[in-house]
DNA sequence: ATTACTAAAAGACGAGTAA
DNA sequence: TTTACTCGTCTTTTAGTAA
């Protein structure tokens, strides 16, 4: 849980454009925006940096501050809450893209028993050992951002055989009526135009899909 | 400015459904959700009530809490901030509705010099003394809620001739390319399916509009 | 102008308690 | 069980200061 004050500060930095790149921000300017003293603003910035929500580069005449990926995630979680408050309507998002070949990574991960169990228990089907990779079109990349992290289930990482396996997040979806789910690693950066879909069967076979076929992925968000 | 903790508490209550009606909420349950002690949760609730963000009715076995209009506005302001962060104004909203006859109130207000000046200075055109009233269709009522209060400009109220004139808020828009603006009173409750549009000319004449004509209002949010 | 420390003042926290 | 008070403790704030 992120502290309320930290979130407030982070949001203000984001409003100043901190998500798009480093911005000049003095303790005083932040203090003015938040109606707090520059001393407190300074401390808030230090706290945010300690939690890795922002990175700072100090200059003699001030500092440049940028919101990190971590910080943006925290803000998106908050945003998702507000979306849930004000848009209780079952919004159905549709992502469109073309089937592409993956690097076989998905197959590897889905063959690990621990992941298989975890995904199975939270999705209600035993995942086929392999993923369908889809390259989203430009509009769908935007839509996907709106998915935020509402409805995503977190699968924690684990250690086995002297190797650490990172966490992942998953959200249920449907392709041509088939129940499946979008999976992505939690921590590492992932290209925003690619999604990986798992299902209880081999979608390529069942739906007769080939590379470059256009398909729609429906997220009912329920 | 709403305190960060108060906003956090208010948001949690809203997530529990507090915007849709009174919900049962003990200090303990709120405390659990916020990871604070029941004592502090109790104090938070008292603070929210004092600021009129919630109303409470005490029962022997707990209390029923509902978010007030005031509280919902505070949350919508916050929501609007997040929208601004993550949807950098590419979004163009379109409201659809039919032209209706107003009660002549708009004409009255737009004839008052003070309003005329205020609107003129923040919109960039001298408003024609009269408003075009539009009844929104069901979908547009929802879209309109999404406008929240981002991009609205506040026109403060004033007193003249022993009469107080309330504040208003205004957001620029376009109808068939013509620059205009949606106006509504700030404080008083206003029907959610009606909007009043002002422009630099008489839209009814210029666009040859009659009652029950369907028109589109575009908000570019810029 | 900055940042960020120290130290005193202010305020928030939660245990205990009464109703 | 509740709510909400008091009270001791601890945290946070801001003024003052140094760099």
């Amino acid at each position: 849980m992120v502290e309320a004050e930290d979130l407030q500060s982070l949001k203000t930095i984001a409003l100043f454009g901190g998500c798009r790149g480093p911005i000049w921000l003095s303790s005083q300017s932040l203090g003015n925006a938040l109606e707090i003293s520059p001393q407190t603003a300074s401390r808030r910035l230090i706290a945010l940096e300690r939690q890795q929500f922002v990175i700072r580069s100090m200059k003699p005449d001030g500092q440049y501050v940028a919101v990190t990926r971590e910080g943006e995630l925290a803000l998106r979680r908050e945003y998702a809450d507000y979306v849930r408050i004000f848009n209780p309507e079952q919004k159905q998002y549709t992502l469109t893209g073309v089937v592409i070949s993956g690097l076989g990574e998905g197959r590897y991960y889905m063959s690990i028993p621990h992941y298989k169990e975890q995904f199975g228990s939270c999705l209600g089907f035993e995942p086929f050992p392999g993923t369908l990779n889809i390259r989203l079109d430009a509009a769908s990349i935007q839509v996907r951002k709106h998915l935020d992290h509402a409805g995503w289930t977190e699968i924690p990482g684990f250690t086995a055989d002297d190797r650490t396996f990172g966490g992942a997040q998953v959200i249920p979806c449907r392709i041509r009526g088939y129940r499946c789910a979008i999976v992505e690693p939690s921590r590492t950066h992932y290209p925003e135009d690619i999604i990986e879909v798992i299902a209880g069967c081999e979608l390529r076979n069942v739906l007769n899909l080939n590379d470059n076929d256009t398909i729609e992925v429906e997220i009912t968000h329920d």
Side-chain angles (χ1 to χ4, degrees), chain A residues 109 115 157-167:
Chain A
Y109 283 104
Y115 278 128
F158 64 101
T159 310
D161 302 333
D162 286 339
R163 184 166 166 1
T164 39
F165 294 88

Side-chain angles (χ1 to χ4, degrees), chain A residues 63-122:
Chain A
Q63 55 192 305
Y64 283 78
V65 181
V67 176
T68 62
R69 185 181 146 77
E70 201 67 20
E72 187 173 330
L73 280 176
L75 288 169
R76 281 196 183 273
R77 275 193 295 272
E78 194 70 5
Y79 180 32
D81 280 343
Y82 284 99
V83 171
R84 269 169 54 203
I85 290 171
F86 292 120
N87 307 345
E89 71 235 37
Q90 304 284 331
K91 213 161 195 172
Q92 177 161 331
Y93 294 95
T94 304
L95 302 174
T96 312
V98 295
V99 175
I100 58 170
S101 294
L103 301 167
E105 281 194 38
R107 178 176 300 264
Y108 172 62
Y109 283 104
M110 296 317 298
S111 69
I112 294 162
H114 184 272
Y115 278 128
K116 218 166 167 169
E117 282 167 31
Q118 290 284 307
F119 285 128
S121 70
C122 77

Side-chain angles (χ1 to χ4, degrees), chain A residues 6-48:
Chain A
D6 289 338
L7 205 63
Q8 183 192 38
S9 309
L10 192 59
K11 193 202 76 176
T12 303
I13 295 168
L15 278 172
F16 285 162
C19 283
R20 290 190 290 276
I23 51 161
W24 180 88
L25 185 74
S26 73
S27 300
Q28 189 138 63
S29 55
L30 181 61
N32 286 340
L34 293 172
E35 299 175 22
I36 54 179
S37 68
Q39 291 90 330
T40 301
S42 171
R43 238 180 320 98
R44 296 262 181 100
L45 281 168
I46 294 169
L48 286 177

Side-chain angles (χ1 to χ4, degrees), chain A residues 177-206:
Chain A
Y178 277 84
R179 295 189 53 179
C180 35
I182 304 172
V183 188
E184 65 178 44
S186 283
R187 294 274 143 186
T188 52
H189 190 64
Y190 199 78
E192 63 177 12
D193 62 333
I194 308 267
I195 58 173
E196 288 199 57
V197 176
I198 59 174
C201 57
E202 186 171 17
L203 289 170
R204 269 185 189 267
N205 271 341
V206 175

Side-chain angles (χ1 to χ4, degrees), chain A residues 95-101 132-137 175-176 195 203-217:
Chain A
L95 302 174
T96 312
V98 295
V99 175
I100 58 170
S101 294
L132 182 70
N133 292 45
I134 299 167
R135 185 189 308 281
L136 301 176
D137 58 37
I175 295 179
R176 298 190 195 165
I195 58 173
L203 289 170
R204 269 185 189 267
N205 271 341
V206 175
L207 300 177
N208 197 17
L209 294 172
N210 296 299
D211 278 9
N212 287 317
D213 285 355
T214 297
I215 54 173
E216 294 193 340
V217 182

